[in-house]
Amino acid sequence: MVAAYVLVQTEVGKAADVAKAVAEMPGVLRADDVTGPYDVVVQVEADGVDALGALVVAGVQSIPGITRTLTCPVVRL
Amino acid sequence: MVAAYVLVQTEVGKAADVAKAVAEMPGVLRADDVTGPYDVVVQVEADGVDALGALVVAGVQSIPGITRTLTCPVVRL
Amino acid sequence: MVAAYVLVQTEVGKAADVAKAVAEMPGVLRADDVTGPYDVVVQVEADGVDALGALVVAGVQSIPGITRTLTCPVVRL
Amino acid sequence: MVAAYVLVQTEVGKAADVAKAVAEMPGVLRADDVTGPYDVVVQVEADGVDALGALVVAGVQSIPGITRTLTCPVVRL
Amino acid sequence: MVAAYVLVQTEVGKAADVAKAVAEMPGVLRADDVTGPYDVVVQVEADGVDALGALVVAGVQSIPGITRTLTCPVVRL
Amino acid sequence: MVAAYVLVQTEVGKAADVAKAVAEMPGVLRADDVTGPYDVVVQVEADGVDALGALVVAGVQSIPGITRTLTCPVVRL
Amino acid sequence: MVAAYVLVQTEVGKAADVAKAVAEMPGVLRADDVTGPYDVVVQVEADGVDALGALVVAGVQSIPGITRTLTCPVVRL
Amino acid sequence: MVAAYVLVQTEVGKAADVAKAVAEMPGVLRADDVTGPYDVVVQVEADGVDALGALVVAGVQSIPGITRTLTCPVVRL
């Protein structure tokens, strides 16, 4: 399993709608509205790096109102 | 009370209109056009972090011409 | 209560040590090593914005090896 | 007169000391600790762009613990 | 007089057109296409900070295809 | 010859299509989807700096779905 | 297998030494000096995300002169 | 010939010294102190991309007080 934090920027005024929609997607553990350079922090889990990429590109990024996502895979050092 | 500086980026050519419109919103103390990576600096005050988020998302970001806002809450250390 | 994600950059080679040390601090719920522009993502909780600032500045930032922290308070919109 | 916001990054753990020291300098109207990508927001005033540069370089940047400053001059459009 | 470098980002594929159009504006000394995080570097001169702001906002930013400008005023230290 | 890495940001959901289209262009050696602040990394080769600029602006940037490119020319030190 | 591009920033004047040292490490396919916001681009391969993290943190980052690394894992979408 | 703008960040308080020292180097046409995210803008000229890299790494970066340089080669599109 690969876990990741996905830092999301949204169109102005869309942060709450995006967080709600993302939170209900499969593979998404949690989605929080935040202030700062990012608008929503999403915690996800997938079977591997490719599945993680697919989850973000085909899943999270399909939510209307998202302008950029930055995926930070968790590593166990 | 929570105070914050909101660093605003606007569409090209819209900085002056945005600053004027933002300056008249409730909760906004001041809005200045600036040069540099940001176009307008807004000083705001709200009852708490959630009210601050609502003020920025539902209020400031509703002004046409704003493309990104970066909220920096003031902390008393 | 105010929750926040703290995105941490560390000196090269120090990410694992920083994550372990941060994870044991009071107010810290979790700390994960990540790849990307940040090295560690920390989830914290505090009584308010000022307590959050104190937790980050006096607490998290006192861990050796941290070079920058970016605090993203969670807001309920 | 030229006014400016100076967005300051400090060494970890030094934000409060920097804000206090900067606030007492001539030409500085106010200095606030903030969370986010910057640590202190400083409001300054000077006689012109060159005096503003001198105030920031010779004045603000002489405070120990400051690692980067980003000066955003206010413009009246 | 205030001189400045204006670092311009353009829509993809528009850098050459933007550089040519900007180079012919009053107050613009030179405009070069570059590679890197910016697409065009413009050298400008104006009577003061406010005139510089007006030149960039009302002038340079009126060129179609520009998405962001970052103005760096020259200071004599 | 000048070689370069071109770091590409795409519209959300377009990374795979962009990588496939870019990979087939003349002058492009390879194009990989990546996670992080960039979406696609492209390796290119051209006859000189100007040809490299033309390849990126007239070639790569003509692919639909690309929002920003950052060209990093390889240097032999 | 997980492949990745590691974008490296070095201390000023150290780019060539870093590229040479990194290029000889196990798991590293290639390392190029570049101009732009990064100084060296490294191509690596590892057995998984955790091995990739270990390769970067315990391996690449142990080279003297590196100040920041940004790991961009390749994904097959 | 390849021309470039080199955007320089310096240690706090060192911008003026750096600009003066850089301005006297061979290959450097001009160096200006600026405010904003960069501290000095340098205009250089070299025989090619490799010579440009050498000029920046072996030349400009050897000046004490420089912490980062960002080289933007000029391209004729």
Side-chain angles (χ1 to χ4, degrees), chain E residues 48-76:
Chain E
V49 170
D50 294 343
L52 176 63
L55 170 63
V56 172
V57 169
V60 174
Q61 293 189 345
S62 68
I63 307 291
I66 292 182
T67 55
R68 285 289 306 157
T69 65
L70 170 51
T71 304
C72 302
V74 174
V75 295
R76 279 164 302 239

Side-chain angles (χ1 to χ4, degrees), chain A residues 3 5 7 15-16 20 30-38 41-43 70-77, chain C residues 3 5 7 15-16 20 30-38 41-43 70-77:
Chain A
Y5 291 88
L7 310 175
K20 268 178 213 121
R30 188 173 173 168
D32 289 302
D33 289 290
V34 295
T35 72
Y38 308 105
V41 175
V42 186
Q43 302 185 39
L70 168 52
T71 304
C72 303
V74 173
V75 294
R76 277 163 302 236
L77 298 176
Chain C
Y5 291 89
L7 310 175
K20 267 178 214 121
R30 189 172 171 168
D32 289 302
D33 288 291
V34 295
T35 71
Y38 308 105
V41 175
V42 185
Q43 301 185 40
L70 169 51
T71 303
C72 302
V74 174
V75 294
R76 278 164 302 236
L77 297 176

Side-chain angles (χ1 to χ4, degrees), chain H residues 12-36:
Chain H
V12 292
K14 297 290 177 59
D17 293 346
V18 164
K20 266 178 216 122
V22 169
E24 292 173 8
M25 294 182 54
V28 171
L29 307 180
R30 188 174 172 166
D32 289 302
D33 289 291
V34 295
T35 72

Side-chain angles (χ1 to χ4, degrees), chain E residues 6 8 15 19-20 22-23 30-35 38-43, chain H residues 3 5 43 72-76:
Chain E
V6 185
V8 175
K20 266 176 217 124
V22 169
R30 187 173 174 167
D32 289 302
D33 288 291
V34 295
T35 71
Y38 308 104
D39 302 305
V40 181
V41 175
V42 185
Q43 301 184 40
Chain H
Y5 291 89
Q43 301 184 40
C72 302
V74 173
V75 294
R76 278 163 301 237

Side-chain angles (χ1 to χ4, degrees), chain A residues 26-56:
Chain A
V28 171
L29 306 180
R30 188 173 173 168
D32 289 302
D33 289 290
V34 295
T35 72
Y38 308 105
D39 302 305
V40 181
V41 175
V42 186
Q43 302 185 39
V44 300
E45 241 178 33
D47 277 346
V49 169
D50 294 344
L52 176 63
L55 170 62
V56 172

Side-chain angles (χ1 to χ4, degrees), chain A residues 2-4 48-50 52-54 57 70-75, chain C residues 34-38, chain F residues 15 30-41, chain G residues 1-7 42-46 48-53 56 69-77:
Chain A
V2 175
V49 169
D50 294 344
L52 176 63
V57 169
L70 168 52
T71 304
C72 303
V74 173
V75 294
Chain C
V34 295
T35 71
Y38 308 105
Chain F
R30 188 173 174 167
D32 289 302
D33 288 290
V34 295
T35 71
Y38 308 105
D39 302 306
V40 181
V41 174
Chain G
M1 287 300 276
V2 175
Y5 291 89
V6 185
L7 311 175
V42 186
Q43 301 184 40
V44 301
E45 241 179 35
V49 171
D50 294 343
L52 176 63
V56 173
T69 65
L70 169 51
T71 303
C72 302
V74 173
V75 294
R76 279 164 301 237
L77 297 176

